[in-house]
Amino acid sequence: ILYNFDTKKGKIKEVVTAEGEGFVHGEKVKKMEDNTIYVRNGEFSTCDCDDPCFQLKSTKIKVIPQEKIVSGPAYLLIEGIPTPLFLPFLIFPNNPKKTSGIVMPSFGGNNEQFGMGILRGGYFWAISDQLNFELTGDIYSQGSWGIHTTTNYNYRYRMRGQFMLDYVNMISGDRQIESEFDTCQRH
C-alpha cells in the first residue's frame, strides 16, 4: 500500500473490495481523494468466493462509491474459462437505496436433462419505496426457457407481500413439457 497524506491518493496491489452486492477484484488499484477507485486488470462478480465461479473481466474498471461501477471492454469468465460473450462497456448501479437496473444472470451449470443454462437475468424496476417489479428469464442450451415475474409490495403497518408469476417451457429429449404456475403470498 502506498498512500500520500497530502493528496489523499493511494495505490494498492491485489485488492478485493465489496461494492454493493458485487465484488471487485483488482491487480492494481488507485484510490482518489473523492474515494473514486480506478482498477487495472480487474474482475467484477456477485460471487463472494476468493476464486469466483463467474466474473466479468476488464482491463479498466472505475468505481464511483454510492453511485455506479463503469467498465471498459469486458468478457465473461465461467470457472476461469473465457467465453465468447464480449461487451464493449458495462455500467452497474451501485446505490444502497433501491434503484431500477439490470439483474445479472447466474450460471446454471450443466443439467443432463436441459443442458447448460443462464438463469434469472433481466430487469428490476423500483416503482416506489413500497412497490417494485422484477422480470427475469432463464435459457438452456437444449431449447428450454422460462420467464419469471415478481412484484413485492410493502405498505407499512397494513400489509406486505409478494406476487409471483412464472411461465416455463421445458424441452426434454423429444417431449415438450409446458408448465404454468403462479404464487401469491401475503404476510
Side-chain angles (χ1 to χ4, degrees):
I1 297 176
L2 298 172
Y3 187 76
N4 186 328
F5 287 99
D6 295 332
T7 62
K8 297 184 178 163
K9 295 179 182 177
K11 289 184 180 179
I12 310 167
K13 291 184 178 181
E14 301 297 327
V15 174
V16 177
T17 180
E19 294 296 331
E21 293 183 13
F23 298 89
V24 177
H25 299 243
E27 184 178 303
K28 292 182 181 178
V29 176
K30 182 190 249 183
K31 184 176 180 189
M32 306 305 284
E33 60 183 278
D34 64 350
N35 288 331
T36 299
I37 299 170
Y38 293 94
V39 180
R40 172 72 88 197
N41 296 329
E43 300 166 351
F44 177 78
S45 179
T46 54
C47 179
D48 63 350
C49 300
D50 290 337
D51 188 24
C53 52
F54 69 94
Q55 66 258 23
L56 293 164
K57 187 164 182 74
S58 178
T59 56
K60 296 179 182 178
I61 299 174
K62 180 179 180 180
V63 179
I64 303 170
Q66 308 299 318
E67 193 175 329
K68 61 186 162 192
I69 299 171
V70 182
S71 163
Y75 61 94
L76 179 66
L77 286 164
I78 298 174
E79 296 291 342
I81 301 169
T83 65
L85 180 62
F86 173 82
L87 300 167
F89 66 91
L90 297 169
I91 299 175
F92 295 104
N94 187 25
N95 196 327
K97 65 180 200 174
K98 289 185 180 180
T99 57
S100 300
I102 294 172
V103 177
M104 286 296 294
S106 63
F107 178 64
N110 193 4
N111 183 318
E112 287 183 25
Q113 193 172 13
F114 306 115
M116 292 178 22
I118 297 176
L119 311 174
R120 299 287 179 165
Y123 191 77
F124 177 81
W125 181 24
I127 300 167
S128 70
D129 289 340
Q130 293 83 25
L131 185 65
N132 63 52
F133 176 77
E134 183 177 71
L135 176 65
T136 59
D138 304 335
I139 188 163
Y140 292 92
S141 62
Q142 294 182 3
S144 298
W145 55 272
I147 296 174
H148 314 281
T149 63
T150 305
T151 304
N152 293 302
Y153 56 91
N154 184 4
Y155 294 99
R156 192 163 40 177
Y157 307 121
R158 291 189 193 157
M159 65 180 130
R160 176 177 55 140
Q162 180 179 65
F163 177 75
M164 298 183 320
L165 179 64
D166 297 334
Y167 180 81
V168 181
N169 184 18
M170 300 306 256
I171 299 171
S172 175
D174 293 335
R175 41 176 228 184
Q176 183 169 344
I177 309 162
E178 291 188 27
S179 64
E180 187 175 349
F181 61 91
D182 62 332
T183 305
C184 181
Q185 299 174 350
R186 191 170 173 185
H187 303 279

